Amino acid sequence: MIRKAFSKLLDINQREINRLSKVVKEINSFEAKAKKLKDKDFVKKTEEFRGRLKKGEPIEDILPEAFAVVREASDRAIGLRHYDVQLMAGVALFEGKVAEQKTGEGKTLSAVPALYLRALAGKGAHLVTVNDYLARRDAGWNAPAFALLGLSVGVIIQEQKSFVYNPQYEDKSHGDERLSHLKPAERKLAYAADITYGTNNEFGFDYLRDNMVQTMDEMVQRGHYFGIVDEVDSVLIDEARTPLIISAPDTEPTEKYYQFARLVAKLDPDGDYTVDEKSKSASLTERGIEKVEKALKIKNLYEKDFEIIHHVENALRAKTLYLNDRDYVVKENQVVIVDEFTGRLMVERKG
């Protein structure tokens, strides 16, 4: 039974590979034509493709020639020519499917033709990666190819920093040529680019911030048309367990937090509460509830009001589950959460 199911899975995978191989064969049929293009002709090809799309031609019909043109542009601009297997991955990504490539197989390059073709619609294409360095590196690496094709590239990273690729701009302070032409720019301008690279957290936080603004002009994102997610298992499974939360400044007196922190500090861990590290939860026992009720001089903690319960439970969790320099750090008199997966400071989650 297991062998039969596994065999069927292999058959499905092989059929998909065979299908993609046929598409790549069609892409290769345009290679000679693409090689004859002069550098100035690449922008004209982009304009031609956009015109065909506006006239109603299916984007899938444009794919073979467009991918061939991108491969030639990449070869000329950055000296990297797509292998057939990278084009296969690119087609799968274009179609919104999961493509697995091992380290060193050129995932960064595989995404380029898919991003290009989707960006022709003029609605923006996003490349979501796992950290700031990769976002900047991959954008700076591939931007010359996109620029040759007439497309703009933006980058968004932590601390509200954003960039646009500008070949006339040069910053050698990084020591990495791939980062030297990324010019600091407004967040909105980075999103206005044809292709925007960034981290999953930053795309998420910008979405949340856009939902808190007072006017449309304050929004930085312009919609969500197409995106490719790098390290998709990490982003959508592992890191997705940590919610993205933005809160307004607290208007409650700070003294309340000190009051309840002092209260839970007097509780006995051996009988007043229980802690579940796995689920990140801490709960008062019957004995603990009685101690809290006595300290607050109330008859029934859970019939008083929700605000008191909220403060007690949060103070208890803060005491038992979150450790300084492990789960958070205090920086410039603010608490900054530490990402449990990367160990990086999550500056957007501070208070």
Side-chain angles (χ1 to χ4, degrees):
M1 184 71 179
I2 295 177
R3 182 179 296 178
K4 186 177 181 181
F6 186 65
S7 177
K8 186 176 181 181
L9 184 63
L10 289 177
D11 288 342
I12 294 173
N13 187 60
Q14 188 58 51
R15 284 200 299 269
E16 182 66 6
I17 291 175
N18 292 341
R19 182 186 72 84
L20 293 173
S21 296
K22 292 178 181 178
V23 178
V24 170
K25 187 176 181 179
E26 194 173 355
I27 294 170
N28 289 336
S29 71
F30 286 96
E31 183 170 17
K33 184 178 177 182
K35 283 187 174 297
K36 293 179 182 179
L37 293 173
K38 297 179 181 178
D39 287 357
K40 64 180 181 180
D41 294 331
F42 286 95
V43 173
K44 294 178 182 178
K45 290 301 296 184
T46 295
E47 293 171 352
E48 176 194 319
F49 293 144
R50 280 177 165 160
R52 289 163 62 180
L53 285 174
K54 288 180 180 178
K55 289 179 181 179
E57 184 173 349
I59 194 170
E60 291 78 11
D61 292 352
I62 297 173
L63 186 151
E65 185 179 2
F67 271 44
V69 169
V70 171
R71 175 161 64 179
E72 182 62 25
S74 175
D75 191 15
R76 292 193 198 182
I78 59 177
L80 294 174
R81 180 185 180 278
H82 294 78
Y83 291 103
D84 285 357
V85 289
Q86 290 174 315
L87 292 177
M88 291 171 67
V91 174
L93 294 172
F94 163 80
E95 294 174 344
K97 297 177 179 177
V98 175
E100 182 179 8
Q101 292 178 273
K102 295 179 181 178
T103 301
E105 289 187 347
K107 292 182 292 182
T108 302
L109 198 62
S110 296
V112 171
L115 289 170
Y116 170 78
L117 188 53
R118 287 297 183 182
L120 293 178
K123 300 177 183 179
H126 297 160
L127 191 291
V128 186
T129 189
V130 293
N131 62 55
D132 292 346
Y133 172 71
L134 289 178
R136 290 198 299 162
R137 185 204 69 179
D138 293 355
W141 197 345
N142 294 308
F146 288 124
L148 182 60
L149 291 158
L151 298 188
S152 55
V153 176
V155 189
I156 58 162
I157 60 174
Q158 286 191 76
E159 298 181 0
Q160 290 289 284
K161 293 180 181 178
S162 46
F163 309 84
V164 292
Y165 174 75
N166 185 336
Q168 279 72 50
Y169 173 82
E170 191 167 17
D171 178 6
K172 295 184 177 180
S173 63
H174 307 291
D176 188 334
E177 177 62 26
R178 293 169 296 189
L179 308 181
S180 62
H181 299 298
L182 297 178
K183 183 178 182 179
E186 292 183 1
R187 201 76 157 184
K188 198 167 188 175
L189 191 59
Y191 275 113
D194 295 302
I195 296 161
T196 304
Y197 286 75
T199 63
N200 52 305
N201 284 338
E202 291 307 302
F203 281 118
F205 278 123
D206 284 339
Y207 174 79
L208 293 177
R209 277 189 287 265
D210 276 356
N211 279 274
M212 296 171 68
V213 299
Q214 300 299 313
T215 66
M216 295 289 286
D217 289 339
E218 296 177 76
M219 297 178 70
V220 295
Q221 294 186 342
R222 57 174 176 139
H224 309 93
Y225 171 66
F226 177 78
I228 294 175
V229 182
D230 187 18
E231 303 289 353
V232 67
D233 52 342
S234 173
V235 172
L236 298 185
I237 299 176
D238 297 333
E239 293 196 36
R241 292 184 297 171
T242 304
L244 301 180
I245 300 172
I246 289 183
S247 58
D250 198 350
T251 57
E252 292 185 358
T254 307
E255 177 55 33
K256 276 194 173 184
Y257 295 97
Y258 289 113
Q259 176 190 347
F260 286 97
R262 288 192 295 266
L263 174 61
V264 299
K266 297 176 181 178
L267 298 177
D268 184 355
D270 292 329
D272 292 340
Y273 56 83
T274 59
V275 177
D276 187 337
E277 288 275 358
K278 187 175 181 180
S279 64
K280 288 283 186 182
S281 64
S283 305
L284 292 171
T285 62
E286 287 295 328
R287 194 176 83 179
I289 292 173
E290 290 178 5
K291 280 191 178 182
V292 172
E293 289 173 343
K294 185 177 180 180
L296 296 176
K297 298 179 180 179
I298 57 177
K299 290 185 178 180
N300 192 319
L301 175 63
Y302 290 92
E303 287 184 0
K304 180 62 178 173
D305 60 56
F306 178 76
E307 183 183 356
I308 290 178
I309 299 170
H310 167 76
H311 279 293
V312 170
E313 291 182 346
N314 278 349
L316 185 59
R317 291 180 66 213
K319 175 185 184 308
T320 59
L321 295 168
Y322 299 101
L323 301 180
N324 191 7
D325 291 332
R326 186 194 72 177
D327 302 293
Y328 67 91
V329 297
V330 179
K331 185 179 181 182
E332 297 177 356
N333 292 323
Q334 290 188 313
V335 175
V336 183
I337 295 176
V338 176
D339 189 316
E340 64 176 301
F341 301 105
T342 65
R344 295 170 62 90
L345 298 183
M346 307 183 75
V347 294
E348 297 290 352
R349 303 184 191 181
K350 62 185 180 182

